[in-house]
Amino acid sequence: MAGCLADPQKLQSVDLLDRLTSAREMLAVQAPPADEACNMVGDVQTRLYGEPGLVEVQPAWTALRDAASALHAVCGQSTLLAQPSNDSPTLVQARARWQLGIQREMGVACDHLREAAAALGRPARC
């Protein structure tokens, strides 16, 4: 009978994949600040490190961790972009780098989400 039960860590990993994918989608369409999406990313990171047994779901755990890290960077850079600007040349350059960083990290997150989806036997949504 136990052989018919679903693996609880895998089910949790699928839920975390869905949450990170949703957060990425929210970050792609929302102007900063994207508090709801960033809170979701933080919650997923907490669960990835705090829930017993999730680290054993390899290689999905590693891909989920890396996707969450990339999305966390997006949240940080989005927060910086949301700050008022005095349009000094230095700040204009920094804001351009942050915007490029957001685009790069969104791509990195998507790559890791695809890896996690493949490892969990789920379709990739990004």
Side-chain angles (χ1 to χ4, degrees):
M1 188 76 156
C4 297
L5 297 176
D7 178 7
Q9 284 82 20
K10 184 175 179 182
L11 290 176
Q12 282 189 56
S13 296
V14 168
D15 177 58
L16 297 179
L17 170 66
D18 291 342
R19 294 185 74 197
L20 285 176
T21 302
S22 295
R24 187 191 175 281
E25 290 168 355
M26 291 166 65
L27 287 167
V29 297
Q30 289 182 345
D35 293 338
E36 183 181 354
C38 293
N39 287 339
M40 194 179 302
V41 171
D43 290 344
V44 169
Q45 285 181 310
T46 299
R47 288 185 60 195
L48 281 169
Y49 287 100
E51 299 274 339
L54 285 184
V55 73
E56 303 301 322
V57 184
Q58 289 293 341
W61 184 87
T62 301
L64 291 169
R65 180 203 59 202
D66 293 345
S69 180
L71 292 174
H72 190 105
V74 169
C75 290
Q77 292 170 337
S78 295
T79 299
L80 291 170
L81 282 174
Q83 301 305 306
S85 171
N86 63 5
D87 292 330
S88 71
T90 302
L91 198 48
V92 169
Q93 289 176 352
R95 294 174 71 77
R97 283 192 309 272
W98 296 331
Q99 189 63 47
L100 288 173
I102 288 171
Q103 293 171 7
R104 182 183 62 249
E105 294 298 327
M106 289 289 281
V108 168
C110 189
D111 291 342
H112 291 299
L113 290 171
R114 277 192 219 110
E115 289 174 30
L120 294 168
R122 306 288 289 185
R125 291 184 6 210
C126 71

